[in-house]
Amino acid sequence: FCTRDKDVFRIRVTLNGMERCIGVTRTCARPRSFVSTSRLSFGSQPLFAFSLGSSVSRSSKRNGCVFPVSSGYRTIVAMRSVEQGEQSQPPTNENLLRLPGAGNTYPGAFYAGQPVRSIPPIDTKLYQRPPKGTVPFVYHTEYDIRFYGLENLHPFDSKKWGKVKEMLVNRGLIREDQISTPQPATDSDLEVAHTKEYLASLQSSYQVASITEVAPVLLLPSFIINRQLIQPFRHHTGGSVLAGKLALEQGWAVNIGGGFHHCCGCAGGGFCMFSDITLTAVFARHKKGIRRVMIVDLDAHQGNGHARDFMGDRDAYILDVYNADIYPQDHDAKSAISKPVELKSGTGDSEYLTKVSQALSEAENDDFSPELIIYNAGTDVLSHDKLGKLDVSTHAVLQRDELVFAFAKRAGSAIVMLTSGGYQQNNAKVIADSICNLHSKGLISL
């Protein structure tokens, strides 16, 4: 159990029937570094903390030992057991005690500070029941970002989602009135995965400019930023959560948007403002009673946001195939990826499809048995994408998506597809082509 009093975390630990109270001062350090403070002692004796109300006994055979460790965004309080006389070592996934807990507690570690509420609000509108006759395609007209032309300063095509929808309608795959329309995620919804401090920081033009990588946003007042930029991200996020619900009810779903895999609970970046992947999983767990979630992230960039959110979560399996030469190169988040597959710039069709297929086969052999697969289907893997820097053809992207949906079918798992990144004008057509191909191959049915 952990509470916070200003900059001191008060931790109450029960170990072998003995209760100990320990206070640890908040620290700022390099990601996942071993932190020393005035309240930590090193040497041949077990590591322990001195603080207000501290009563850890030096003479006990085994002691509960608390380390503050920075995750890069939040302070993690981790605990390990140390034998008398053992040399103190930094905590690792192997030597952490497996602590039971509630809320935002993960095996071996729990987040301290401003808590993240991991139980969705009872009155959330994100899990609404769509009107009769709708299909599991999720889209809202608010997805497209129109920001006085400033959106064109970023290479991302901020209107591709509307283009995808139009193509699917024009090709006769779906009708306008069949599309499931999501509600925007409210602050109460977002607090399921985000800290209040982070959400409050979005009132800063500087913060939003940094996340969206559009410098002129700095010059605009927050009410305009909220209406023209933040609100579309809220709709995308609501769309991902709704698509997760529909997938569990109908076997599959596509959010024609979402996939903001660089955002975690306490920080955004890389044009990712809200952690919609994490929220989709958490809502599904609490609202639908599932436990095992697999994230298949095939965007060209490493999915460091959801990886940080699910660090230490044994019921989350992350398969991530990405170009290791490009942003974000988050080596700490990589430790949370169950099946990392690193590519080099210029990787072409044959090698790409072979590695994706092999990774899926290995994941299948790991016997994880996911109940929900969240597929982050970025199209920035395409040739000539200046940010993705891979050399994958349109045909190979269609084959890739087939592989993932066929994998879900074999696993008997629901699958939700998010469209994620892609920085060329042809991305919308490729996404529409792939969805139509999945339908023609019988991997999705209407």
Side-chain angles (χ1 to χ4, degrees):
F1 179 79
C2 180
T3 59
R4 178 180 173 187
D5 180 11
K6 294 184 179 180
D7 285 334
V8 175
F9 300 125
R10 300 169 187 265
I11 301 97
R12 186 174 74 241
V13 179
T14 301
L15 183 64
N16 296 334
M18 297 181 295
E19 186 175 282
R20 298 287 184 262
C21 295
I22 305 168
V24 182
T25 301
R26 182 170 185 164
T27 60
C28 296
R30 299 189 314 275
R32 297 183 66 80
S33 63
F34 190 36
V35 182
S36 171
T37 75
S38 60
R39 288 181 171 82
L40 294 180
S41 176
F42 298 84
S44 60
Q45 298 297 318
L47 184 65
F48 54 92
F50 287 105
S51 187
L52 299 174
S54 175
S55 60
V56 174
S57 171
R58 186 191 290 246
S59 61
S60 299
K61 168 80 173 179
R62 300 178 69 87
N63 291 287
C65 303
V66 176
F67 310 74
V69 180
S70 169
S71 69
Y73 304 106
R74 289 184 272 195
T75 300
I76 294 176
V77 177
M79 175 175 159
R80 69 177 291 251
S81 181
V82 182
E83 291 284 0
Q84 180 73 21
E86 178 185 341
Q87 184 69 30
S88 300
Q89 298 293 333
T92 66
N93 288 336
E94 288 71 34
N95 65 22
L96 289 174
L97 291 176
R98 298 301 164 188
L99 301 178
N104 192 40
T105 303
Y106 301 113
F110 56 92
Y111 292 115
Q114 189 67 264
V116 177
R117 177 173 48 76
S118 64
I119 300 177
I122 295 174
D123 60 347
T124 181
K125 295 181 180 179
L126 299 188
Y127 254 48
Q128 63 181 348
R129 183 183 296 277
K132 187 176 181 180
T134 56
V135 295
F137 281 103
V138 181
Y139 171 77
H140 197 289
T141 54
E142 290 289 328
Y143 278 12
D144 287 358
I145 297 174
R146 297 174 178 84
F147 202 30
Y148 310 114
L150 292 180
E151 71 276 7
N152 297 323
L153 298 177
H154 193 282
F156 192 86
D157 181 4
S158 62
K159 301 181 184 68
K160 75 173 183 180
W161 306 290
K163 295 175 184 177
V164 174
K165 186 268 296 182
E166 288 297 325
M167 290 177 187
L168 295 179
V169 170
N170 292 338
R171 296 179 189 188
L173 186 67
I174 54 174
R175 300 192 313 270
E176 290 271 4
D177 61 354
Q178 291 180 305
I179 297 171
S180 299
T181 305
Q183 294 292 320
T186 64
D187 281 352
S188 184
D189 295 318
L190 295 171
E191 285 171 17
V192 171
H194 291 285
T195 63
K196 290 182 179 180
E197 291 98 334
Y198 172 67
L199 295 178
S201 76
L202 298 179
Q203 297 302 312
S204 163
S205 300
Y206 175 83
Q207 173 79 326
V208 176
S210 176
I211 292 170
T212 59
E213 300 172 341
V214 179
V217 170
L218 276 167
L219 306 175
L220 299 175
S222 60
F223 78 91
I224 292 180
I225 294 173
N226 183 67
R227 185 181 64 210
Q228 301 296 129
L229 194 55
I230 297 178
Q231 198 63 19
F233 279 104
R234 288 180 181 270
H235 278 91
H236 277 273
T237 301
S240 294
V241 173
L242 175 60
K245 171 184 183 291
L246 297 177
L248 288 166
E249 293 173 349
Q250 302 186 43
W252 64 272
V254 175
N255 181 21
I256 307 176
F260 305 126
H261 63 159
H262 296 309
C263 184
C264 74
C266 287
F271 210 75
C272 298
M273 191 167 295
F274 300 125
S275 189
D276 66 318
I277 293 175
T278 300
L279 283 160
T280 300
V282 175
F283 268 78
R285 283 175 169 177
H286 285 279
K287 293 291 189 179
K288 289 296 186 180
I290 69 164
R291 185 164 55 90
R292 297 180 306 280
V293 177
M294 177 181 285
I295 299 169
V296 177
D297 195 337
L298 301 187
D299 186 277
H301 298 81
Q302 176 194 359
N304 59 324
H306 57 71
R308 286 185 173 277
D309 284 340
F310 288 108
M311 194 172 288
D313 188 332
R314 291 180 171 181
D315 290 321
Y317 187 108
I318 301 175
L319 186 161
D320 197 348
V321 182
Y322 58 94
N323 185 349
D325 296 336
I326 61 175
Y327 173 90
Q329 298 183 323
D330 190 336
H331 302 294
D332 299 304
K334 180 184 172 182
S335 65
I337 301 174
S338 313
K339 187 71 62 178
V341 179
E342 296 188 340
L343 307 174
K344 293 185 178 298
S345 295
T347 297
D349 288 3
S350 178
E351 181 182 355
Y352 181 74
L353 289 173
T354 297
K355 289 192 172 182
V356 169
S357 179
Q358 182 178 351
L360 289 170
S361 296
E362 291 174 358
E364 196 168 5
N365 293 333
D366 284 346
D367 197 28
F368 179 73
S369 301
E371 296 165 273
L372 175 65
I373 295 173
I374 302 175
Y375 175 34
N376 203 44
T379 47
D380 50 358
V381 299
L382 286 166
S383 300
H384 310 301
D385 191 297
K386 293 181 180 179
L387 298 186
K389 297 184 178 180
L390 297 178
D391 190 21
V392 178
S393 69
T394 297
H395 181 64
V397 169
L398 270 59
Q399 288 181 282
R400 176 199 72 174
D401 294 350
E402 282 184 45
L403 288 171
V404 177
F405 272 77
F407 167 77
K409 195 170 187 178
R410 290 194 305 273
S413 172
I415 181 170
V416 53
M417 176 178 172
L418 313 176
T419 56
S420 198
Y423 308 94
Q424 300 181 82
Q425 291 300 311
N426 68 333
N427 286 125
K429 183 178 183 303
V430 173
I431 294 169
D433 287 347
S434 182
I435 292 172
C436 291
N437 179 63
L438 292 171
H439 180 255
S440 68
K441 295 293 176 64
L443 293 170
I444 61 175
S445 57
L446 297 168

